[in-house]
Amino acid sequence: MDQQLQVDQQQLVSAWQERLPSFMDDGDSYSVQPDEANRKSLLIHFNAAGRQSYSLDFRCTYVDSREVAVDLLDVEKAGLHTDERTDAVQQLAQRYTRQIHECAQDLKGLTNP
């Protein structure tokens, strides 16, 4: 049975802002915003800690009430667009993708009551 997401987007954004830090590494910062183009999506921006000054933008879309699809949208280094195929970026992208999935799992009580 297909479980459509029934949660208000703003409520979802608030829940993510509250829960995401518990899955993140010390020093990393983030922001969560609603995706104006899709009410089932959130835009999540990560700033990686450390001297590399990487920032990564993801779209997290609820496929249904239990599952999210995560897409890497953009990578910047010190404010400039950078190649997302480098090892350093790939490792960051994998880590943040895992953190997004872990947070989505943690919020299942809200999205899949």
Side-chain angles (χ1 to χ4, degrees):
M1 185 168 106
D2 183 30
Q3 295 288 321
Q4 288 297 311
L5 186 65
Q6 300 295 329
V7 182
D8 174 69
Q9 190 180 37
Q10 200 53 56
Q11 187 183 357
L12 208 51
V13 168
S14 297
W16 274 81
Q17 287 171 335
E18 191 178 302
R19 295 304 255 295
L20 191 55
S22 60
F23 299 98
M24 293 178 53
D25 297 341
D26 287 346
D28 287 357
S29 62
Y30 72 97
S31 64
V32 181
Q33 297 176 308
D35 182 349
E36 302 297 335
N38 182 350
R39 67 173 199 83
K40 293 181 184 174
S41 295
L42 304 173
L43 300 175
I44 305 174
H45 174 86
F46 289 98
N47 291 308
R51 290 189 295 262
Q52 300 159 336
S53 302
Y54 281 114
S55 64
L56 289 80
D57 292 310
F58 293 88
R59 178 180 293 119
C60 173
T61 305
Y62 277 85
V63 178
D64 59 29
S65 62
R66 297 179 307 276
E67 185 184 347
V68 294
V70 180
D71 298 301
L72 178 61
L73 301 178
D74 188 38
V75 180
E76 291 185 355
K77 182 174 182 175
L80 300 172
H81 184 76
T82 191
D83 186 353
E84 55 200 51
R85 294 172 301 219
T86 65
D87 283 348
V89 171
Q90 286 298 308
Q91 287 174 6
L92 280 173
Q94 287 170 4
R95 186 173 86 208
Y96 291 141
T97 299
R98 184 177 64 248
Q99 291 168 347
I100 290 169
H101 279 289
E102 287 170 354
C103 188
Q105 285 286 320
D106 195 56
L107 291 170
K108 263 198 186 154
L110 174 67
T111 60
N112 187 31

